[in-house]
Amino acid sequence: MLEEKNDNLQEADGQEQIESQENVVAQNQSAQDEIDNSNAEENEDDSIKDKHNIPMEDYESMPMEKLVSELEKLINNHKVMAIKDHVEEIRKAFMNHYHHLIDEKRDEFNENNTDENATFEYDFPLKHKFEEAYTDYKDKRNQHYNQLQKNLKGNLNKRNELIEELKALVDNTDENLSIADMFKRLNEIRDQWKVAGAIPRDKYNIVWNNYHFHIERFYDLIHLDKEARDQDFKLNLEEKQGIIARAKELLNENDTLKAFRELQLLHRVWKEEIGPVDREHREAIWNEFSDITKQMHDKREAYFGAARERESENLVAKNTIIEAIIALGEEPINSHNGWQNQIKKMEALREQFFKAGRVPVEVNEQTWDKFKTAVRGFNSKKNNFYKNIKHEQQENLNKKMALVAQAESLKDSDDFASVTPIMKQIQEDWKKIGHVPRKFSDKIWKEFKNACNHYFDRLHTVRNAENKEEIEAFDKKKEFLVELKEFELTGNHKTDLDAIKAHIETWKGLGRVPHNRRHIEGKFNKVLDALFEKLSLSKKDTELMKFDAKLEQWVENDNERAIEKEQFFIRKKIDEVQNEIFQLENNIQFITNAKKDNPLLKEVQKNIERHKEELKLWKEKLNKLREI
């Protein structure tokens, strides 16, 4: 039977051993604490392992639709504790995008709204979808924590029961157990300990130390069976050496985070699944493992240092973008098109900002606030511009409404000759008026377009009917022109003149011809010119009769353009003739001491009289045009 020992003395001796071991590794405690904390978290929920297999995406650069899709995918495909960091990053990114969108929509509302008492409201269905998914996540998380608390409490009770069994085994309350039976029972306790599950974090170190304290007591108790104890120590030493070998390999792993996570698992196995080794190797092997842990910790810090450098570079890029936004808002813009171009540039800078990547966490909120301030400054200046033109837009609206009313009042008129120029002028006036408030733009344009279309559709219907009559008139004039070419003068001046006048009246009575066939009028005028040449009329009378005939044709065909062109031509001829007379009269003054019968003097005087007669003819033609 084994010798009994005083419980208090044994616990004190065991505690001294543990404290001694802890003092040995004090120099490496900083690195080891991080491993222990990670292991405690791992013990808290095994689903955390899953999070290491889920890549952390650059959620900030994703559009809101993609963020909602990612959130739903994570919730449906992974355990709730494996995605908590991802969900939080998605939530931050979504809300940043959402608040930016709301700011833009509020600016648009203020820009287009003319009612100062109106309240801004904006419903965003995607926000509801996001909230539903996020609420689903929180419900699952709460369910998980409630169940976790129950599991942690049950696991704690189970581990305390195992410690009590271990304590009873050491105290050998069953005196009939052999050393072999005690080792067998110890291994059973160890196996149950390995699968006992996570316990509350604040109890972890106490329970772990208590468990190992009684393990040490067990080995101290059975020191009489040195062979069995040494064999167990040897196996434990081999297992821990295997862990050290694997830990050394992890130092060469390219994926630093993956290597660190595996090292965490190795520490768990070391502390919870493998028993002690002999005192000779205990301190050295632990120091070796601790040293590897410190090297891994340094490697991990270097990895995060490089990540922080990238974040610092991203910070520089984002600050540059913010400065560009500020500069964009300070540019003097005084037109709608100019501001539309600025808005496009602003959107491009905004996209660059969201795609620039993460910045150091300690300046993340500050950087976001600077970005929002810059954007709001830009929007404020833009809004001030549009607020200033709201009054102008309201005046434009009043002007266009007046044109709509005028078009409505004229759209059913049958006086096409008078109303058509007015309707065309109304359309020209409409083009000259600037923008109106957007919410009225489509409505007032539709009213104006409908009124104009109504009038011109009626006009085209009437003109189509008139075109048929004009084609018939053309055919008749064509036939009449053939007959007129066969007309012969009788030689009697009065009879021939009356006949020509009668032909002119007949031609006028045949009606108007289509615009694109008015060349027939020119042919008629050529025939008239030939007839007038054969009459014994003065040149002046011939010219006036030909002019009267041509003028009547223009009036009949409403050919305002031809009349205006002729008027311009006659005025020009009058100026030319007057200048010529002035020049001739001026030349006479240089002919001094000349007799009245001087040939040169007579020639000049004759030219002056001829030009004066020509001037009278042009002025008479101009008077006829003015009478129209």
Side-chain angles (χ1 to χ4, degrees), residues 480-507 522-539 541-543 545-546 549 553:
F480 181 74
L481 194 59
V482 174
E483 297 176 1
L484 186 60
K485 288 179 180 179
E486 302 296 329
F487 173 72
E488 294 289 342
L489 296 176
T490 63
N492 186 302
H493 177 78
K494 184 176 183 309
T495 302
D496 292 337
L497 183 59
D498 291 339
I500 291 173
K501 290 182 177 180
H503 289 319
I504 293 174
E505 291 300 320
T506 302
W507 181 268
K523 294 181 179 180
F524 176 69
N525 289 331
K526 287 183 179 180
V527 174
L528 287 183
D529 290 345
L531 292 175
F532 282 126
E533 289 294 333
K534 295 177 182 181
L535 286 175
S536 55
L537 291 175
S538 66
K539 182 177 180 181
D541 291 339
T542 302
E543 282 293 324
M545 288 190 69
K546 289 162 59 177
Q553 292 173 11

CSV table of all heavy atoms in Angstrom, one decimal, residues 480-507 522-539 541-543 545-546 549 553:
chain,number,residue,atom,x,y,z
A,480,PHE,N,-51.8,76.3,-120.4
A,480,PHE,CA,-52.1,77.7,-120.8
A,480,PHE,C,-50.8,78.3,-121.4
A,480,PHE,O,-50.8,79.0,-122.4
A,480,PHE,CB,-52.5,78.5,-119.6
A,480,PHE,CG,-52.8,79.9,-120.0
A,480,PHE,CD1,-54.0,80.3,-120.7
A,480,PHE,CD2,-52.0,80.9,-119.7
A,480,PHE,CE1,-54.3,81.6,-121.1
A,480,PHE,CE2,-52.2,82.3,-120.0
A,480,PHE,CZ,-53.4,82.6,-120.7
A,481,LEU,N,-49.6,77.9,-120.8
A,481,LEU,CA,-48.4,78.4,-121.3
A,481,LEU,C,-48.1,78.0,-122.8
A,481,LEU,O,-47.6,78.7,-123.6
A,481,LEU,CB,-47.2,78.0,-120.4
A,481,LEU,CG,-45.9,78.7,-120.6
A,481,LEU,CD1,-46.0,80.2,-120.3
A,481,LEU,CD2,-44.8,78.1,-119.6
A,482,VAL,N,-48.5,76.8,-123.1
A,482,VAL,CA,-48.3,76.3,-124.5
A,482,VAL,C,-49.2,77.1,-125.4
A,482,VAL,O,-48.8,77.5,-126.5
A,482,VAL,CB,-48.7,74.8,-124.5
A,482,VAL,CG1,-48.7,74.3,-126.0
A,482,VAL,CG2,-47.7,74.0,-123.7
A,483,GLU,N,-50.4,77.4,-125.0
A,483,GLU,CA,-51.3,78.2,-125.8
A,483,GLU,C,-50.8,79.6,-126.0
A,483,GLU,O,-50.9,80.2,-127.1
A,483,GLU,CB,-52.7,78.2,-125.2
A,483,GLU,CG,-53.4,76.9,-125.1
A,483,GLU,CD,-54.7,77.0,-124.3
A,483,GLU,OE1,-55.1,78.1,-124.0
A,483,GLU,OE2,-55.4,75.9,-124.1
A,484,LEU,N,-50.2,80.2,-124.9
A,484,LEU,CA,-49.7,81.5,-124.9
A,484,LEU,C,-48.6,81.7,-125.9
A,484,LEU,O,-48.4,82.7,-126.5
A,484,LEU,CB,-49.3,82.0,-123.5
A,484,LEU,CG,-48.9,83.5,-123.4
A,484,LEU,CD1,-50.1,84.4,-123.8
A,484,LEU,CD2,-48.5,83.8,-121.9
A,485,LYS,N,-47.8,80.7,-126.0
A,485,LYS,CA,-46.6,80.7,-126.9
A,485,LYS,C,-47.1,80.8,-128.4
A,485,LYS,O,-46.3,81.3,-129.2
A,485,LYS,CB,-45.7,79.5,-126.7
A,485,LYS,CG,-44.9,79.5,-125.4
A,485,LYS,CD,-44.1,78.3,-125.2
A,485,LYS,CE,-43.3,78.3,-123.9
A,485,LYS,NZ,-42.4,77.1,-123.8
A,486,GLU,N,-48.3,80.4,-128.6
A,486,GLU,CA,-48.8,80.4,-130.0
A,486,GLU,C,-49.6,81.7,-130.3
A,486,GLU,O,-50.0,82.0,-131.4
A,486,GLU,CB,-49.8,79.2,-130.2
A,486,GLU,CG,-49.2,77.9,-129.9
A,486,GLU,CD,-48.2,77.5,-130.9
A,486,GLU,OE1,-48.2,78.0,-132.1
A,486,GLU,OE2,-47.2,76.8,-130.6
A,487,PHE,N,-49.7,82.6,-129.3
A,487,PHE,CA,-50.4,83.9,-129.4
A,487,PHE,C,-49.6,84.8,-130.3
A,487,PHE,O,-48.4,85.0,-130.2
A,487,PHE,CB,-50.7,84.5,-128.1
A,487,PHE,CG,-51.3,85.9,-128.1
A,487,PHE,CD1,-52.6,86.1,-128.5
A,487,PHE,CD2,-50.5,87.0,-127.8
A,487,PHE,CE1,-53.1,87.3,-128.6
A,487,PHE,CE2,-51.1,88.3,-127.9
A,487,PHE,CZ,-52.4,88.4,-128.2
A,488,GLU,N,-50.4,85.4,-131.2
A,488,GLU,CA,-49.7,86.4,-132.2
A,488,GLU,C,-50.4,87.8,-132.0
A,488,GLU,O,-51.6,87.9,-131.8
A,488,GLU,CB,-49.9,85.9,-133.6
A,488,GLU,CG,-49.2,84.6,-134.0
A,488,GLU,CD,-47.7,84.8,-134.1
A,488,GLU,OE1,-47.3,86.0,-134.2
A,488,GLU,OE2,-47.0,83.8,-134.0
A,489,LEU,N,-49.6,88.8,-132.0
A,489,LEU,CA,-50.1,90.2,-131.9
A,489,LEU,C,-50.8,90.6,-133.2
A,489,LEU,O,-50.4,90.2,-134.3
A,489,LEU,CB,-49.0,91.2,-131.6
A,489,LEU,CG,-48.2,90.9,-130.3
A,489,LEU,CD1,-47.1,91.9,-130.2
A,489,LEU,CD2,-49.2,91.1,-129.1
A,490,THR,N,-51.8,91.4,-133.1
A,490,THR,CA,-52.6,91.9,-134.3
A,490,THR,C,-51.9,93.1,-135.0
A,490,THR,O,-52.2,93.4,-136.1
A,490,THR,CB,-54.0,92.2,-133.9
A,490,THR,OG1,-54.0,93.3,-133.0
A,490,THR,CG2,-54.7,91.0,-133.3
A,491,GLY,N,-51.1,93.8,-134.2
A,491,GLY,CA,-50.5,95.0,-134.7
A,491,GLY,C,-51.2,96.2,-134.2
A,491,GLY,O,-50.7,97.4,-134.3
A,492,ASN,N,-52.4,96.0,-133.7
A,492,ASN,CA,-53.2,97.1,-133.1
A,492,ASN,C,-52.7,97.3,-131.6
A,492,ASN,O,-52.9,96.3,-130.8
A,492,ASN,CB,-54.7,96.9,-133.1
A,492,ASN,CG,-55.5,98.0,-132.6
A,492,ASN,OD1,-55.4,98.5,-131.5
A,492,ASN,ND2,-56.4,98.6,-133.5
A,493,HIS,N,-52.1,98.4,-131.3
A,493,HIS,CA,-51.5,98.6,-130.0
A,493,HIS,C,-52.5,98.4,-128.9
A,493,HIS,O,-52.2,97.6,-127.9
A,493,HIS,CB,-50.9,100.0,-129.9
A,493,HIS,CG,-50.3,100.3,-128.6
A,493,HIS,ND1,-49.1,99.8,-128.2
A,493,HIS,CD2,-50.8,101.0,-127.5
A,493,HIS,CE1,-48.8,100.2,-127.0
A,493,HIS,NE2,-49.9,101.0,-126.5
A,494,LYS,N,-53.7,99.0,-128.9
A,494,LYS,CA,-54.6,98.9,-127.8
A,494,LYS,C,-55.2,97.5,-127.7
A,494,LYS,O,-55.3,96.9,-126.6
A,494,LYS,CB,-55.8,99.9,-128.0
A,494,LYS,CG,-56.8,99.9,-126.9
A,494,LYS,CD,-57.8,101.0,-127.1
A,494,LYS,CE,-58.8,101.1,-125.9
A,494,LYS,NZ,-59.3,99.8,-125.5
A,495,THR,N,-55.5,96.9,-128.9
A,495,THR,CA,-56.0,95.5,-128.8
A,495,THR,C,-55.0,94.6,-128.3
A,495,THR,O,-55.3,93.7,-127.5
A,495,THR,CB,-56.4,95.1,-130.3
A,495,THR,OG1,-57.4,96.0,-130.8
A,495,THR,CG2,-57.0,93.7,-130.3
A,496,ASP,N,-53.8,94.7,-128.8
A,496,ASP,CA,-52.7,93.8,-128.3
A,496,ASP,C,-52.5,94.0,-126.8
A,496,ASP,O,-52.2,93.0,-126.0
A,496,ASP,CB,-51.5,94.0,-129.1
A,496,ASP,CG,-51.6,93.5,-130.5
A,496,ASP,OD1,-52.5,92.7,-130.8
A,496,ASP,OD2,-50.8,94.0,-131.4
A,497,LEU,N,-52.4,95.2,-126.3
A,497,LEU,CA,-52.2,95.5,-124.9
A,497,LEU,C,-53.3,94.9,-124.0
A,497,LEU,O,-53.0,94.3,-123.0
A,497,LEU,CB,-52.0,97.0,-124.7
A,497,LEU,CG,-51.7,97.4,-123.3
A,497,LEU,CD1,-50.4,96.8,-122.8
A,497,LEU,CD2,-51.6,98.9,-123.2
A,498,ASP,N,-54.5,95.1,-124.5
A,498,ASP,CA,-55.7,94.5,-123.7
A,498,ASP,C,-55.6,93.0,-123.7
A,498,ASP,O,-55.9,92.3,-122.7
A,498,ASP,CB,-57.0,95.0,-124.3
A,498,ASP,CG,-57.2,96.5,-124.1
A,498,ASP,OD1,-56.6,97.0,-123.2
A,498,ASP,OD2,-58.1,97.1,-124.8
A,499,ALA,N,-55.2,92.4,-124.8
A,499,ALA,CA,-55.1,91.0,-124.9
A,499,ALA,C,-54.0,90.4,-123.9
A,499,ALA,O,-54.2,89.4,-123.2
A,499,ALA,CB,-54.8,90.5,-126.3
A,500,ILE,N,-52.9,91.2,-123.9
A,500,ILE,CA,-51.8,90.7,-123.0
A,500,ILE,C,-52.3,90.8,-121.5
A,500,ILE,O,-52.0,89.9,-120.7
A,500,ILE,CB,-50.5,91.6,-123.2
A,500,ILE,CG1,-49.9,91.2,-124.5
A,500,ILE,CG2,-49.5,91.3,-122.1
A,500,ILE,CD1,-48.7,92.1,-124.9
A,501,LYS,N,-53.0,91.9,-121.2
A,501,LYS,CA,-53.5,92.1,-119.8
A,501,LYS,C,-54.5,91.0,-119.5
A,501,LYS,O,-54.5,90.5,-118.4
A,501,LYS,CB,-54.1,93.5,-119.7
A,501,LYS,CG,-53.1,94.6,-119.7
A,501,LYS,CD,-53.9,96.0,-119.5
A,501,LYS,CE,-52.9,97.1,-119.4
A,501,LYS,NZ,-53.6,98.4,-119.2
A,502,ALA,N,-55.3,90.6,-120.5
A,502,ALA,CA,-56.3,89.6,-120.3
A,502,ALA,C,-55.6,88.2,-120.0
A,502,ALA,O,-56.0,87.4,-119.1
A,502,ALA,CB,-57.2,89.4,-121.5
A,503,HIS,N,-54.5,88.0,-120.7
A,503,HIS,CA,-53.7,86.7,-120.5
A,503,HIS,C,-53.1,86.7,-119.1
A,503,HIS,O,-53.1,85.7,-118.4
A,503,HIS,CB,-52.6,86.6,-121.5
A,503,HIS,CG,-53.0,86.3,-122.9
A,503,HIS,ND1,-54.0,85.4,-123.2
A,503,HIS,CD2,-52.6,86.8,-124.1
A,503,HIS,CE1,-54.3,85.3,-124.5
A,503,HIS,NE2,-53.4,86.1,-125.1
A,504,ILE,N,-52.7,87.9,-118.6
A,504,ILE,CA,-52.1,88.0,-117.3
A,504,ILE,C,-53.2,87.7,-116.2
A,504,ILE,O,-53.0,86.9,-115.3
A,504,ILE,CB,-51.5,89.4,-117.0
A,504,ILE,CG1,-50.3,89.6,-117.9
A,504,ILE,CG2,-51.2,89.6,-115.5
A,504,ILE,CD1,-49.7,91.0,-117.8
A,505,GLU,N,-54.4,88.2,-116.4
A,505,GLU,CA,-55.5,87.9,-115.5
A,505,GLU,C,-55.9,86.5,-115.5
A,505,GLU,O,-56.2,85.9,-114.5
A,505,GLU,CB,-56.7,88.8,-115.8
A,505,GLU,CG,-56.5,90.3,-115.6
A,505,GLU,CD,-56.2,90.6,-114.1
A,505,GLU,OE1,-56.8,89.9,-113.2
A,505,GLU,OE2,-55.3,91.4,-113.8
A,506,THR,N,-55.9,85.9,-116.7
A,506,THR,CA,-56.2,84.5,-116.8
A,506,THR,C,-55.2,83.6,-116.1
A,506,THR,O,-55.6,82.7,-115.3
A,506,THR,CB,-56.3,84.0,-118.3
A,506,THR,OG1,-57.2,84.8,-119.0
A,506,THR,CG2,-56.6,82.6,-118.4
A,507,TRP,N,-53.9,84.0,-116.2
A,507,TRP,CA,-52.9,83.3,-115.5
A,507,TRP,C,-53.0,83.4,-114.0
A,507,TRP,O,-52.9,82.4,-113.3
A,507,TRP,CB,-51.5,83.8,-116.0
A,507,TRP,CG,-50.3,83.2,-115.3
A,507,TRP,CD1,-49.7,83.5,-114.2
A,507,TRP,CD2,-49.6,82.0,-115.8
A,507,TRP,NE1,-48.7,82.7,-113.9
A,507,TRP,CE2,-48.6,81.7,-114.9
A,507,TRP,CE3,-49.8,81.2,-117.0
A,507,TRP,CZ2,-47.7,80.7,-115.1
A,507,TRP,CZ3,-48.9,80.2,-117.2
A,507,TRP,CH2,-47.9,79.9,-116.3
A,522,GLY,N,-41.5,81.8,-114.0
A,522,GLY,CA,-40.4,82.4,-114.7
A,522,GLY,C,-40.6,82.2,-116.2
A,522,GLY,O,-40.3,83.2,-117.0
A,523,LYS,N,-41.1,81.1,-116.6
A,523,LYS,CA,-41.3,80.8,-118.0
A,523,LYS,C,-42.4,81.7,-118.6
A,523,LYS,O,-42.3,82.2,-119.7
A,523,LYS,CB,-41.7,79.4,-118.3
A,523,LYS,CG,-40.6,78.4,-118.0
A,523,LYS,CD,-41.0,76.9,-118.2
A,523,LYS,CE,-39.9,75.9,-117.9
A,523,LYS,NZ,-40.3,74.5,-118.2
A,524,PHE,N,-43.4,81.9,-117.7
A,524,PHE,CA,-44.5,82.8,-118.1
A,524,PHE,C,-44.0,84.3,-118.3
A,524,PHE,O,-44.3,85.0,-119.3
A,524,PHE,CB,-45.6,82.8,-117.1
A,524,PHE,CG,-46.8,83.8,-117.3
A,524,PHE,CD1,-47.6,83.6,-118.4
A,524,PHE,CD2,-46.9,84.9,-116.5
A,524,PHE,CE1,-48.7,84.5,-118.6
A,524,PHE,CE2,-48.0,85.8,-116.7
A,524,PHE,CZ,-48.8,85.6,-117.8
A,525,ASN,N,-43.1,84.7,-117.4
A,525,ASN,CA,-42.6,86.0,-117.5
A,525,ASN,C,-41.7,86.2,-118.7
A,525,ASN,O,-41.7,87.3,-119.3
A,525,ASN,CB,-41.7,86.4,-116.2
A,525,ASN,CG,-42.6,86.5,-115.0
A,525,ASN,OD1,-43.7,87.0,-115.1
A,525,ASN,ND2,-42.0,86.2,-113.8
A,526,LYS,N,-41.0,85.2,-119.1
A,526,LYS,CA,-40.2,85.3,-120.4
A,526,LYS,C,-41.1,85.5,-121.6
A,526,LYS,O,-40.8,86.2,-122.5
A,526,LYS,CB,-39.3,84.0,-120.5
A,526,LYS,CG,-38.2,84.0,-119.5
A,526,LYS,CD,-37.3,82.7,-119.8
A,526,LYS,CE,-36.1,82.7,-118.8
A,526,LYS,NZ,-35.3,81.5,-119.1
A,527,VAL,N,-42.2,84.8,-121.6
A,527,VAL,CA,-43.2,84.9,-122.7
A,527,VAL,C,-43.7,86.3,-122.8
A,527,VAL,O,-43.8,87.0,-123.8
A,527,VAL,CB,-44.3,83.9,-122.6
A,527,VAL,CG1,-45.3,84.1,-123.7
A,527,VAL,CG2,-43.7,82.5,-122.8
A,528,LEU,N,-44.0,86.8,-121.5
A,528,LEU,CA,-44.6,88.2,-121.5
A,528,LEU,C,-43.5,89.2,-122.0
A,528,LEU,O,-43.8,90.2,-122.7
A,528,LEU,CB,-45.0,88.6,-120.0
A,528,LEU,CG,-46.2,87.9,-119.5
A,528,LEU,CD1,-46.5,88.4,-118.1
A,528,LEU,CD2,-47.4,88.2,-120.4
A,529,ASP,N,-42.2,89.0,-121.5
A,529,ASP,CA,-41.2,89.9,-122.0
A,529,ASP,C,-41.1,90.0,-123.5
A,529,ASP,O,-40.9,91.0,-124.1
A,529,ASP,CB,-39.8,89.4,-121.4
A,529,ASP,CG,-39.8,89.6,-119.9
A,529,ASP,OD1,-40.6,90.4,-119.4
A,529,ASP,OD2,-38.9,89.0,-119.2
A,530,ALA,N,-41.2,88.8,-124.1
A,530,ALA,CA,-41.2,88.8,-125.6
A,530,ALA,C,-42.3,89.5,-126.2
A,530,ALA,O,-42.2,90.2,-127.2
A,530,ALA,CB,-41.1,87.3,-126.0
A,531,LEU,N,-43.5,89.4,-125.6
A,531,LEU,CA,-44.7,90.1,-126.1
A,531,LEU,C,-44.5,91.6,-126.0
A,531,LEU,O,-44.9,92.4,-126.8
A,531,LEU,CB,-46.0,89.6,-125.5
A,531,LEU,CG,-46.4,88.1,-125.8
A,531,LEU,CD1,-47.6,87.7,-125.0
A,531,LEU,CD2,-46.7,88.0,-127.3
A,532,PHE,N,-44.1,92.0,-124.8
A,532,PHE,CA,-43.9,93.4,-124.5
A,532,PHE,C,-42.9,94.1,-125.5
A,532,PHE,O,-43.0,95.2,-125.8
A,532,PHE,CB,-43.5,93.7,-123.1
A,532,PHE,CG,-44.7,93.6,-122.1
A,532,PHE,CD1,-44.6,92.8,-121.0
A,532,PHE,CD2,-45.8,94.4,-122.3
A,532,PHE,CE1,-45.7,92.7,-120.1
A,532,PHE,CE2,-46.9,94.3,-121.4
A,532,PHE,CZ,-46.8,93.5,-120.3
A,533,GLU,N,-41.9,93.3,-125.8
A,533,GLU,CA,-40.8,93.8,-126.7
A,533,GLU,C,-41.4,94.1,-128.1
A,533,GLU,O,-41.0,95.0,-128.8
A,533,GLU,CB,-39.7,92.7,-126.9
A,533,GLU,CG,-38.8,92.6,-125.6
A,533,GLU,CD,-38.0,93.8,-125.4
A,533,GLU,OE1,-37.7,94.6,-126.3
A,533,GLU,OE2,-37.7,94.0,-124.2
A,534,LYS,N,-42.5,93.3,-128.5
A,534,LYS,CA,-43.1,93.5,-129.8
A,534,LYS,C,-44.0,94.7,-129.8
A,534,LYS,O,-44.4,95.2,-130.9
A,534,LYS,CB,-43.8,92.3,-130.2
A,534,LYS,CG,-42.9,91.1,-130.4
A,534,LYS,CD,-43.6,89.8,-130.8
A,534,LYS,CE,-42.7,88.6,-131.0
A,534,LYS,NZ,-43.5,87.4,-131.3
A,535,LEU,N,-44.5,95.1,-128.6
A,535,LEU,CA,-45.4,96.2,-128.5
A,535,LEU,C,-44.6,97.6,-128.7
A,535,LEU,O,-43.5,97.7,-128.3
A,535,LEU,CB,-46.2,96.3,-127.2
A,535,LEU,CG,-47.3,95.2,-127.0
A,535,LEU,CD1,-47.8,95.3,-125.5
A,535,LEU,CD2,-48.4,95.5,-128.0
A,536,SER,N,-45.3,98.5,-129.2
A,536,SER,CA,-44.7,99.8,-129.4
A,536,SER,C,-44.9,100.7,-128.2
A,536,SER,O,-45.5,101.7,-128.2
A,536,SER,CB,-45.3,100.6,-130.6
A,536,SER,OG,-46.7,100.7,-130.5
A,537,LEU,N,-44.4,100.2,-127.0
A,537,LEU,CA,-44.4,100.9,-125.8
A,537,LEU,C,-43.1,101.5,-125.4
A,537,LEU,O,-42.1,101.1,-125.9
A,537,LEU,CB,-44.8,100.0,-124.6
A,537,LEU,CG,-46.3,99.4,-124.6
A,537,LEU,CD1,-46.4,98.4,-123.5
A,537,LEU,CD2,-47.3,100.5,-124.5
A,538,SER,N,-43.2,102.5,-124.6
A,538,SER,CA,-41.9,103.1,-124.1
A,538,SER,C,-41.2,102.1,-123.2
A,538,SER,O,-41.9,101.2,-122.7
A,538,SER,CB,-42.2,104.4,-123.4
A,538,SER,OG,-42.9,104.1,-122.2
A,539,LYS,N,-39.9,102.3,-123.1
A,539,LYS,CA,-39.1,101.4,-122.3
A,539,LYS,C,-39.6,101.4,-120.8
A,539,LYS,O,-39.7,100.4,-120.2
A,539,LYS,CB,-37.7,101.8,-122.3
A,539,LYS,CG,-36.8,100.8,-121.5
A,539,LYS,CD,-35.3,101.2,-121.6
A,539,LYS,CE,-34.4,100.3,-120.8
A,539,LYS,NZ,-33.0,100.7,-120.9
A,541,ASP,N,-42.7,102.2,-119.7
A,541,ASP,CA,-44.0,101.5,-119.6
A,541,ASP,C,-43.9,100.0,-119.7
A,541,ASP,O,-44.5,99.3,-118.9
A,541,ASP,CB,-45.0,102.0,-120.7
A,541,ASP,CG,-45.4,103.5,-120.5
A,541,ASP,OD1,-45.3,103.9,-119.4
A,541,ASP,OD2,-45.8,104.1,-121.5
A,542,THR,N,-43.0,99.6,-120.6
A,542,THR,CA,-42.8,98.1,-120.7
A,542,THR,C,-42.2,97.6,-119.4
A,542,THR,O,-42.7,96.5,-118.9
A,542,THR,CB,-41.8,97.8,-121.8
A,542,THR,OG1,-42.3,98.4,-123.1
A,542,THR,CG2,-41.5,96.4,-122.0
A,543,GLU,N,-41.2,98.3,-118.8
A,543,GLU,CA,-40.6,97.8,-117.6
A,543,GLU,C,-41.6,97.8,-116.5
A,543,GLU,O,-41.7,96.8,-115.7
A,543,GLU,CB,-39.4,98.7,-117.2
A,543,GLU,CG,-38.2,98.5,-117.9
A,543,GLU,CD,-37.5,97.1,-117.6
A,543,GLU,OE1,-37.6,96.7,-116.5
A,543,GLU,OE2,-37.0,96.5,-118.5
A,545,MET,N,-44.9,97.5,-116.6
A,545,MET,CA,-45.9,96.4,-116.9
A,545,MET,C,-45.4,95.1,-116.5
A,545,MET,O,-46.0,94.2,-115.9
A,545,MET,CB,-46.4,96.5,-118.3
A,545,MET,CG,-47.3,97.7,-118.6
A,545,MET,SD,-48.1,97.5,-120.3
A,545,MET,CE,-49.2,96.2,-120.0
A,546,LYS,N,-44.1,94.8,-116.9
A,546,LYS,CA,-43.5,93.6,-116.6
A,546,LYS,C,-43.3,93.4,-115.1
A,546,LYS,O,-43.5,92.4,-114.5
A,546,LYS,CB,-42.1,93.5,-117.3
A,546,LYS,CG,-42.2,93.3,-118.8
A,546,LYS,CD,-40.9,93.6,-119.5
A,546,LYS,CE,-39.8,92.8,-119.1
A,546,LYS,NZ,-38.6,93.1,-119.8
A,549,ALA,N,-46.6,92.6,-113.4
A,549,ALA,CA,-47.0,91.2,-113.6
A,549,ALA,C,-46.2,90.3,-112.6
A,549,ALA,O,-46.8,89.4,-112.0
A,549,ALA,CB,-46.8,90.8,-115.0
A,553,GLN,N,-47.6,88.1,-109.2
A,553,GLN,CA,-47.4,86.7,-109.0
A,553,GLN,C,-46.8,86.4,-107.6
A,553,GLN,O,-47.2,85.5,-106.9
A,553,GLN,CB,-46.4,86.2,-110.1
A,553,GLN,CG,-47.0,86.2,-111.5
A,553,GLN,CD,-46.0,85.9,-112.5
A,553,GLN,OE1,-44.9,85.4,-112.2
A,553,GLN,NE2,-46.3,86.1,-113.8
